[in-house]
């Protein structure tokens, strides 16, 4: 019994020694390796751009247009007063109802992006249907405003690898957002929306608003003033995006290629 017990103790000791040595070897190996985040930084999924990696205090404000235009003239007036250019993502549903407002958006120097023809869930469409939505949307935007869009925002923020692949194949960049104002929610006050945006914003952020949110125009002026005080420059989405080679990481952040 003593001998058997002694063997067990020896074997157990050897086991712990092997584990210790393996840990030492692994530590030495990993010490010469880059951090894991660097090794797996690029997303295996195809993602839209949610924000941009930058040290500059630049942000982009964007407005989706699918319903109504009651508050849009006031939004445009405030943007004009602050000498700020932004990006409007327009659907054909909206364009057909408010062509004159769309013309005014373009005439005042704002960027126009695609937001689809009929505002469907793109993940429920075939590739052919996606292409049709994009082509029809582009045609009408250009026909009404003269603008040639280069950006696309999926309706409902709904996408998968196939959606992004089709968008890129047609030569557009898919754009999401990292700060959602939730300005379409009726129960949120102007103060709620203002605080929500300020809390989330950072260099490289893309902020989502809607052209006909009930409190959007009320929030916009104070927000632009606050951003200016904090040293931020507000630019259209395309001006915020990185030029040259880049990749989109697992969080949707556009980063320069290494």
């Amino acid at each position: 019994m003593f001998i058997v017990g002694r063997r067990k103790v020896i074997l157990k000791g050897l086991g712990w020694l092997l584990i210790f040595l393996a840990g030492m070897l692994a530590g030495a190996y990993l010490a010469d390796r880059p951090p894991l985040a660097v090794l797996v930084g690029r997303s295996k999924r195809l993602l839209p751009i949610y924000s941009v990696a930058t040290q500059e205090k630049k942000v982009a404000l964007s407005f989706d247009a699918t319903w109504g235009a009651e508050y849009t003239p006031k939004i445009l007036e405030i943007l004009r007063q602050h000498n700020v250019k932004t990006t409007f993502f327009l659907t054909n549903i909206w364009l057909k109802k408010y062509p004159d407002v769309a013309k005014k958006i373009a005439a005042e120097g704002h960027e126009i992006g695609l937001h689809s023809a009929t505002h469907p869930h793109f993940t429920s469409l075939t590739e052919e249907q996606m292409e049709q939505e994009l082509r029809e949307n582009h045609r009408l935007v250009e026909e009404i405003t003269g603008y040639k869009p280069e950006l696309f925002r999926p309706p409902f923020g709904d996408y998968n690898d196939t959606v992004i692949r089709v968008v890129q194949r047609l030569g557009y960049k898919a754009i999401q957002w990292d700060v959602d104002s939730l300005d379409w929610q009726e129960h949120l006050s102007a103060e709620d929306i203002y605080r929500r945006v300020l809390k989330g914003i950072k260099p490289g952020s893309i902020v989502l608003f809607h052209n006909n949110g009930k409190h959007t125009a009320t929030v916009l002026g104070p927000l632009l003033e606050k951003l200016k005080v904090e040293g931020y420059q507000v630019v259209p989405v395309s001006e915020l995006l990185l030029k040259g080679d880049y990749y989109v990481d697992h969080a949707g952040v556009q980063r320069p290629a290494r």
Side-chain angles (χ1 to χ4, degrees):
M1 292 293 292
F2 175 77
I3 294 173
V4 172
R6 185 177 177 184
R7 284 178 178 172
K8 286 183 177 179
V9 171
I10 292 171
L11 289 172
K12 187 175 182 180
L14 287 172
W16 282 112
L17 178 61
L18 289 172
I19 291 171
F20 174 76
L21 290 173
M24 292 290 288
L25 289 171
Y29 172 75
L30 290 173
D32 292 328
R33 304 285 292 179
L36 184 60
V38 173
L39 294 175
V40 298
R42 288 169 170 76
S43 173
K44 292 181 179 179
R45 291 184 60 201
L46 294 178
L47 297 176
I49 297 169
Y50 283 74
S51 64
V52 177
T54 179
Q55 298 299 314
E56 295 184 275
K57 296 191 80 172
K58 285 185 177 182
V59 297
L61 304 187
S62 62
F63 300 85
D64 287 3
T66 305
W67 83 95
E70 179 183 354
Y71 304 109
T72 310
K74 184 62 177 178
I75 288 173
L76 291 174
E77 179 186 339
I78 293 168
L79 293 173
R80 190 186 321 114
Q81 290 171 349
H82 288 81
N83 194 29
V84 165
K85 306 302 180 187
T86 62
T87 304
F88 285 78
F89 291 94
L90 311 181
T91 62
N92 283 13
I93 297 170
W94 188 86
L95 281 160
K96 291 174 181 178
K97 290 183 178 179
Y98 309 104
D100 290 340
V101 182
K103 289 176 183 177
K104 189 172 181 61
I105 290 170
E108 298 205 1
H110 297 289
E111 179 175 45
I112 296 178
L114 302 180
H115 197 36
S116 80
T118 64
H119 206 258
H121 284 276
F122 261 53
T123 56
S124 68
L125 304 181
T126 65
E127 291 191 24
E128 291 74 17
Q129 289 171 327
M130 292 180 205
E131 289 191 9
Q132 184 177 3
E133 284 280 335
L134 290 165
R135 294 185 194 281
E136 289 184 3
N137 195 192
H138 187 122
R139 178 191 60 77
L140 194 59
V141 166
E142 189 170 359
E143 179 182 304
I144 290 175
T145 69
Y147 198 96
K148 295 183 178 181
E150 298 179 353
L151 308 178
F152 167 69
R153 173 168 285 160
F156 309 103
D158 179 36
Y159 67 89
N160 55 24
D161 284 6
T162 303
V163 172
I164 304 303
R165 191 178 300 113
V166 170
V167 170
Q168 292 176 346
R169 186 168 70 222
L170 293 184
Y172 303 108
K173 287 184 174 68
I175 304 297
Q176 204 80 326
W177 60 86
D178 68 322
V179 180
D180 188 349
S181 69
L182 295 181
D183 60 346
W184 57 273
Q185 293 194 6
E186 291 288 335
H187 70 278
L188 291 181
S189 68
E191 182 67 19
D192 292 333
I193 295 168
Y194 176 81
R195 291 183 181 278
R196 178 180 177 84
V197 173
L198 276 184
K199 182 179 179 181
I201 213 162
K202 63 183 184 299
S205 280
I206 298 173
V207 184
L208 169 64
F209 286 107
H210 293 82
N211 72 297
N212 209 46
K214 181 178 179 181
H215 300 299
T216 306
T218 304
V219 168
L220 191 56
L223 176 65
L224 290 173
E225 291 168 7
K226 179 66 172 176
L227 291 175
K228 184 177 181 180
V229 168
E230 294 190 356
Y232 280 98
Q233 180 184 2
V234 178
V235 298
V237 172
S238 63
E239 189 173 327
L240 180 67
L241 298 181
L242 299 175
K243 307 300 185 287
D245 294 336
Y246 69 87
Y247 71 96
V248 178
D249 73 11
H250 65 282
V253 181
Q254 186 194 36
R255 298 184 180 279
R258 291 193 290 269

